[in-house]
Structures are given as C-alpha cells and as structure tokens.
Amino acid sequence: MYNSKITGLGFYVPDTVVTNDDLAKLMDTNDAWIQERTGIKERHWIPEGSEDTSAIMGVKAAKIAIERSGLSKDDIDFIVFATLSPDYYFPGCGVMVQNLLELPTVGAIDIRNQCSGFIYALSTADQFIKTGMYKNILVIGAEYHSNGLDKTTRGRGVSVIFGDGAGACILSRSEDTTKGILSSHLHSEGKYADKLIVKSPSIAHWVPEIIASNGEDISYFPYMDGTFVFKNAVVRFSEVILEGLHANKLEASDIDMFIPHQANLRISQFVQKKFGLTDSQVYNNIMKYGNTTAASIIIALTEAWEKGKIKDNDLVVLAAFGSGFTWGSIIIRW
Ligand code: ACO
C-alpha cells in the first residue's frame, strides 16, 4: 500500500472585506456582539458583478496549489471538490474545475459534508492514493456563502458568521510510509440534520412553492440552532481528535499544529484548553475570514504553512464538525 502526502497548497479569497461595522449597517448587530460570541472581525464576500463562484474560486486556489506542487496540471488524475454552495444544483463543481483548468477527462466528485467537507474530501482522496488507483489528486474546498444569506436582522444569527473563499491542495502518492496522512476518522449523525440546514429548494419543495408563498417561505436561507450545534461541536471535536490520536498511539502533547474548522473561535479555544495546547500549537484565522465552511481548514492549513508554522516532520491534526451532523479528524506527519 502507498502513502499519501500533501505536495502543494493554495487559497483564494475575494478582495472585498466586509467588517462587522459594515454588517451593522444592514441589520441590528454590532462589532462587540460578533467578536465576543464568534471571534470574527471581518470576512471576505464576493462583490456584486464579480465572476467568482465556488468553482471559479476553487480553480484560483487550485492553480496556486498545482504550481507549488511542482506538477503540471496534466499530472492530476482525479478531482475531489467539497462545497455546500455549488454553482449549480447539478452538475457539481468538480466537473466545472475539470473544464476550467482544461484537464484531460479525469474523474471528478463532489463532497457534500458542509463544515466537515474538507476532512471528508481529503480522506476520500487519501483512500484513492493508498489503494494505488491515483497518483495526484486535486482536493478543493470552496464556498460562496454571501449570496445565499439572509442579511437582515431576521438572519443575523447566521449571516454574520459566514465568509466566502476557497482552498486547494494536491495529494500525491509517496513511497515514504513514515510521513503523510496517518489516519482519518469520519462520523455522521443524521438525526440532527434539521439543526443546521438549508431546506429549499429541494425536489420535495421546489421553486414554485417558494414563489407562491409571497416571501413568507424563507426555507432557502440557512437555519441554525446555534446553541445546540455549539454544544455538540465541542463534544464531537474532542472525541474525534482523541480517536485519531489513540489510533496512532499518540498523545495530545505530540501535536505540533492543530487546525480546527473555523466555526467559532470559542469552539477552537474550548478544544485548545481541553487538550492543553499552547497558542503556538493551534492556528486560527476566523478573525479575518469568518466561517468558510468546506474551505476553512484548507485556507487555515495553507496560511499556517505559508507563515512557516508547519515544519518537516510536524504532527498536524485537522478536525471539523458541522451540519449533518458530520464530523471527522485527520492526522498528518508533515
Ligand atoms: N448580533 C446581535 N445579536 C444577535 C446576533 C447578532 N448577529 N445574533 C443573535 N443575536 C441575539 C439573539 O437574538 C439572542 O437574543 P435574545 O437573548 O434576546 O433572544 C442573543 O443574541 C443570543 O443568541 P444565541 O443564538 O443564543 O447566541 P450564542 O451565544 O449561541 O451565539 C452562535 C450564536 C455564534 C451562532 C453560536 O451559537 C455558535 O457559534 N454556534 C455553533 C456554530 C457552529 O459550530 N456551526 C457549525 C459549523 S457551520 C456548518 O456546518 C455550515
């Protein structure tokens, strides 16, 4: 069996920065509430008229990752794309990337696991590499949230959290069995699907019904039971990190860099404290980007790596929890 390692990283966020004060002009909220509850100071939103979409941002991030990997785009033999905000209901963003990057007719799949999307995507790519089926897989997490949010006071509990952006990595076959992805652990609990959900449009509840409601049906906006999600997140984050550490006979003290999904700074800080990690062992950037869902871990991983915070042989732990519920962890020897 082969091993797989990350050979290239890249991310892209739109230029437009939306501060908490900017949001306070749209809805009844304020900088103090948002910072205190979430840690977020600002986020990047795609401006009106921009060409950016989840697929296009994913391509921009992918181009950086491919260049840094030293590979040519023709070396990529599979695409895994994670998003909850695809360009189209169908087909998925993976095939958009195949076309936009002008790749040969390689396979492409979309992963629909929301905040855990990148963990699921990287784990999926890892299995294809380890079995020997593919050599170099392009893994993308991208979200275009801003066009789908309720930017009024009614939607403030959700809309202040989310940001737009994309990250990408190349996962490559490696003969070195001591380094690369050591393990991934994935979970789901669908009985809580309605705690964090965008219900419409769905086949069961199609566009004409929404139009017929004359604005009363708002099931196309994300709904979140924030407190319930928060309570589950802190428990599941901790469980799945421990599961990964135990599977590799490692301790929390072995962690060099923990990169949590950027859902809420308070969740990250809770987990940091629970595992006794110092500030230098955890990377957070939710302050600048908000929750970019499937993109958040790969954006944070790329930024931490660009800043020289991840070194050869470091033990890197990635973990996420989100809508589904779904959650997971990946342990990497860099
Ligand atoms: N500005 C000002 N006041 C607000 C805002 C806002 N933006 N949003 C809500 N409030 C008010 C509420 O109306 C409420 O007022 P009330 O007490 O008068 O009713 C009060 O603030 C408290 O609201 P809560 O929702 O209880 O606030 P909470 O402390 O739970 O924070 C938050 C909300 C930040 C959403 C938090 O619950 C959270 O982070 N949850 C977890 C999010 C998460 O992990 N999501 C998973 C990933 S996302 C994915 O998978 C797509």
Side-chain angles (χ1 to χ4, degrees):
M1 200 159 89
Y2 299 101
N3 212 359
S4 56
K5 64 172 188 178
I6 291 175
T7 52
L9 290 159
F11 81 95
Y12 168 85
V13 289
D15 289 338
T16 304
V17 174
V18 178
T19 65
N20 294 341
D21 288 337
D22 292 332
L23 293 184
K25 291 173 199 149
L26 303 173
M27 61 189 86
D28 181 13
T29 190
N30 58 76
D31 179 52
W33 191 97
I34 300 172
Q35 283 210 50
E36 189 191 309
R37 302 287 175 124
T38 70
I40 300 166
K41 295 182 179 173
E42 57 193 36
R43 72 286 291 142
H44 293 243
W45 277 1
I46 294 173
E48 223 178 290
S50 166
E51 60 153 19
D52 280 342
T53 63
S54 292
I56 291 173
M57 290 192 297
V59 164
K60 289 177 180 176
K63 283 181 176 167
I64 300 167
I66 294 166
E67 198 193 327
R68 286 173 172 172
S69 72
L71 296 170
S72 128
K73 64 184 172 67
D74 292 337
D75 295 322
I76 292 164
D77 37 28
F78 197 60
I79 301 163
V80 186
F81 198 114
T83 187
L84 66 68
S85 48
D87 294 22
Y88 305 118
Y89 195 87
F90 73 85
C93 286
V95 301
M96 306 286 142
V97 171
Q98 182 276 331
N99 178 48
L100 291 166
L101 279 178
E102 297 175 348
L103 297 185
T105 56
V106 298
I109 53 168
D110 278 41
I111 299 278
R112 298 192 49 194
N113 286 70
Q114 300 68 250
C115 290
S116 312
F118 188 75
I119 296 284
Y120 270 77
L122 193 59
S123 175
T124 302
D126 183 41
Q127 313 313 313
F128 279 120
I129 300 265
K130 284 193 170 138
T131 56
M133 184 156 173
Y134 297 124
K135 280 187 182 165
N136 299 297
I137 301 181
L138 171 59
V139 186
I140 297 174
E143 300 291 358
Y144 181 6
H145 281 303
S146 59
N147 207 32
L149 300 171
D150 180 357
K151 296 173 195 145
T152 68
T153 299
R154 185 180 60 189
R156 66 183 179 173
V158 173
S159 56
V160 301
I161 297 171
F162 292 107
D164 301 334
C169 74
I170 306 296
L171 196 69
S172 300
R173 181 188 287 182
S174 159
E175 307 288 335
D176 181 353
T177 51
T178 62
K179 285 188 187 162
I181 296 184
L182 303 183
S183 68
S184 54
H185 291 87
L186 309 174
H187 295 277
S188 71
E189 196 173 29
K191 72 177 171 185
Y192 296 130
D194 65 355
K195 298 292 181 185
L196 179 45
I197 191 167
V198 177
K199 279 194 172 163
S200 304
S202 66
I203 292 300
H205 193 75
W206 200 237
V207 178
E209 293 172 63
I210 300 169
I211 294 169
S213 82
N214 287 323
E216 279 180 29
D217 183 344
I218 52 160
S219 57
Y220 50 88
F221 284 132
Y223 164 79
M224 175 164 72
D225 181 342
T227 311
F228 188 81
V229 174
F230 191 102
K231 284 180 184 162
N232 279 267
V234 291
V235 172
R236 297 307 196 183
F237 256 107
S238 305
E239 278 177 10
V240 80
I241 293 164
L242 272 181
E243 187 180 9
L245 290 172
H246 287 165
N248 293 287
K249 299 186 172 47
L250 294 164
E251 305 287 333
S253 54
D254 294 317
I255 298 174
D256 295 299
M257 180 54 74
F258 169 48
I259 302 199
H261 161 54
Q262 303 290 293
N264 183 321
L265 192 60
R266 285 159 59 215
I267 296 177
S268 302
Q269 287 167 340
F270 179 95
V271 177
Q272 174 178 345
K273 201 168 161 204
K274 187 175 167 82
F275 286 97
L277 302 174
T278 63
D279 286 349
S280 63
Q281 287 170 289
V282 183
Y283 192 77
N284 288 306
N285 60 9
I286 191 169
M287 306 70 104
K288 292 190 293 178
Y289 303 118
N291 177 346
T292 57
T293 310
S296 95
I297 288 182
I298 183 61
I299 291 177
L301 180 65
T302 305
E303 210 175 58
W305 174 81
E306 284 174 352
K307 290 181 177 174
K309 291 178 184 289
I310 298 175
K311 295 173 287 303
D312 190 37
N313 220 35
D314 274 357
L315 190 78
V316 179
V317 174
L318 315 177
F321 175 88
S323 159
F325 292 151
T326 57
W327 63 101
S329 67
I330 291 184
I331 312 261
I332 304 172
R333 178 66 69 187
W334 202 260

